């Protein structure tokens, strides 16, 4: 499994040096303890660590035999590979997301150029509405101004309207339409299958890039990953960073993944992933 595939389908926004260091220490602690003795966050981190070990044959031996500096160096190398892969995905998405949200023949005022992000985010009514936290009313002039000025701070756990089908949020049924928007489907196809598959019905032969990267089904982390990238593509910042506090991408990613991994939400998540697989891999068993 490549770093690209691991980030796509297992865990994307990760501090790899920390993951490796903590993982090795935890393996030593597990000689006299069990995973149940650790916090939920530590438990998840260790599961990610184990999946990373499975992805790289010989990695565990290298970590056991290496010094602390060598472990950190290996983590930095894996992290650089993951960041480069994310950068390529963002480069793919940035110019096309604007095309997808502007309808053919529609005149957008002020203009929203595909090659500049300065006018995106809350600086533009089109991207601003999509990024508006679902519980707020973008049509309220005061709310709109406070979002634009930064007076209203949008943390990563305040989910935007573009996550929902037709940008319609139902406070009485938060799962209604959640993570089922056409924008997300377009982005997923563009990155994981091929750019040409966006405007076509999915077929078995159109899983090219996904097959190359080892993907046979949509996973909760892959949906979370692509949603995080779309959110960034709509914002006004030009450089993506896991630790950026302006977009709070890491909190956003984790908040979605927390929902998808919540045992109490298992039924909804299964339904959601079946729906996604019908859109992306309609002939796979995961779509049944």
């Amino acid at each position: 499994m490549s770093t690209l595939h691991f980030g796509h389908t297992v865990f994307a926004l990760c501090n790899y040096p920390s993951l490796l260091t903590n993982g090795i220490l935890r393996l030593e602690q597990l000689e006299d303890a069990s995973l149940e003795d650790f916090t939920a966050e530590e438990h998840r981190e260790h599961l990610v660590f184990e999946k990373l070990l499975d992805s790289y044959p010989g990695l565990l031996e290298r970590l056991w035999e290496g010094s602390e500096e060598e472990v950190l160096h290996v983590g930095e190398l894996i992290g650089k590979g993951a960041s480069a892969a994310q950068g390529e995905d963002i480069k793919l998405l940035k110019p096309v997301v604007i095309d997808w949200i502007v309808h053919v023949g529609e005149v957008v005022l002020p203009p929203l150029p595909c090659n500049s992000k300065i006018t995106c985010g809350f600086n533009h009514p089109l991207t601003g509405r999509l990024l508006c936290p679902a519980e707020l009313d973008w049509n309220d002039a005061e709310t709109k101004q406070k979002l634009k000025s930064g007076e209203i701070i949008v943390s990563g756990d305040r989910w935007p309207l573009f996550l929902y089908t037709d940008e319609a949020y139902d406070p009485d049924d938060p799962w209604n339409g959640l993570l089922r928007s056409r924008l997300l489907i377009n982005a997923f196809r563009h990155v994981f299958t091929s750019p040409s598959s966006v405007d076509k019905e999915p077929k078995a032969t159109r899983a090219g890039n996904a097959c190359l990267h080892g993907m046979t089904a949509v996973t909760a982390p892959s949906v979370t990953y692509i949603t995080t990238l779309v959110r960034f593509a709509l914002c006004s910042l030009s450089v993506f960073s896991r630790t950026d506090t302006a977009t709070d991408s890491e909190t956003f990613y984790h908040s979605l993944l927390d929902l998808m991994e919540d045992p109490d939400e298992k039924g909804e998540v299964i339904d959601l992933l079946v729906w996604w697989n019908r859109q992306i891999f309609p002939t796979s068993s995961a779509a049944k």
Side-chain angles (χ1 to χ4, degrees):
M1 183 187 289
S2 66
T3 305
L4 173 65
H5 182 52
F6 182 85
H8 278 167
T9 62
V10 179
F11 204 82
L13 304 192
C14 185
N15 182 330
Y16 287 95
S18 175
L19 177 70
L20 297 186
T21 301
N22 292 342
I24 290 295
L25 290 174
R26 205 172 290 115
L27 283 178
E28 296 173 352
Q29 294 169 341
L30 284 170
E31 293 178 3
D32 302 308
S34 68
L35 272 180
E36 285 65 35
D37 297 325
F38 296 98
T39 66
E41 184 175 344
E42 290 171 331
H43 189 275
R44 176 207 268 173
E45 184 183 63
H46 197 72
L47 292 178
V48 172
F49 173 70
E50 289 180 331
K51 289 178 181 177
L52 185 64
L53 294 181
D54 290 340
S55 305
Y56 292 88
L59 177 59
L60 180 58
E61 290 75 14
R62 183 174 179 182
L63 296 177
W64 273 126
E65 297 168 1
S67 64
E68 183 178 346
E69 289 75 19
E70 288 171 330
V71 170
L72 291 174
H73 179 63
V74 170
E76 288 169 357
L77 289 177
I78 296 175
K80 285 181 180 178
S83 295
Q86 289 166 11
E88 286 301 310
D89 290 339
I90 289 169
K91 190 188 298 183
L92 274 174
L93 281 179
K94 277 201 297 188
V96 294
V97 165
I98 300 303
D99 286 339
W100 294 333
I101 65 175
V102 177
H103 300 298
V104 177
E106 180 182 2
V107 177
V108 178
L109 295 174
L112 195 56
C114 294
N115 58 354
S116 174
K117 298 197 70 189
I118 297 175
T119 56
C120 292
F122 295 120
N123 297 320
H124 196 281
L126 202 56
T127 51
R129 181 177 65 84
L130 294 172
L131 288 170
C132 181
E135 76 277 9
L136 298 181
D137 180 9
W138 176 252
N139 293 320
D140 178 73
E142 184 179 358
T143 297
K144 189 180 299 185
Q145 181 54 41
K146 286 182 177 180
L147 285 169
K148 185 176 181 179
S149 67
E151 187 175 344
I152 293 179
I153 297 175
V154 181
S155 58
D157 56 2
R158 301 180 72 179
W159 296 343
L161 275 176
F162 81 83
L163 268 62
Y164 301 87
T165 303
D166 298 326
E167 294 86 51
Y169 168 66
D170 182 356
D172 296 321
D173 183 8
W175 269 104
N176 185 13
L178 178 62
L179 296 172
R180 300 187 189 219
S181 73
R182 177 51 49 186
L183 181 58
L184 293 180
I185 292 295
N186 285 353
F188 199 103
R189 287 178 178 171
H190 195 83
V191 170
F192 288 108
T193 58
S194 70
S196 63
S197 69
V198 171
D199 299 320
K200 301 172 184 176
E201 287 301 311
K203 295 180 180 178
T205 54
R206 289 211 182 94
N209 293 340
C211 285
L212 287 174
H213 298 148
M215 285 190 73
T216 56
V218 177
T219 64
S222 62
V223 173
T224 302
Y225 173 71
I226 209 69
T227 306
T228 302
L229 295 193
V230 171
R231 180 174 177 265
F232 174 76
L234 290 169
C235 82
S236 58
L237 295 186
S238 57
V239 179
F240 180 83
S241 171
R242 175 179 64 84
T243 57
D244 174 52
T245 55
T247 59
D248 204 15
S249 292
E250 189 168 24
T251 299
F252 178 75
Y253 178 85
H254 280 280
S255 68
L256 280 178
L257 203 54
D258 285 344
L259 175 73
M260 304 278 260
E261 295 179 348
D262 186 341
D264 294 336
E265 306 294 343
K266 186 176 180 180
E268 295 285 0
V269 173
I270 289 174
D271 289 345
L272 176 67
L273 292 179
V274 168
W275 181 88
W276 266 91
N277 279 295
R278 286 174 179 166
Q279 315 305 310
I280 308 299
F281 302 111
T283 61
S284 75
S285 60
K288 304 298 187 291

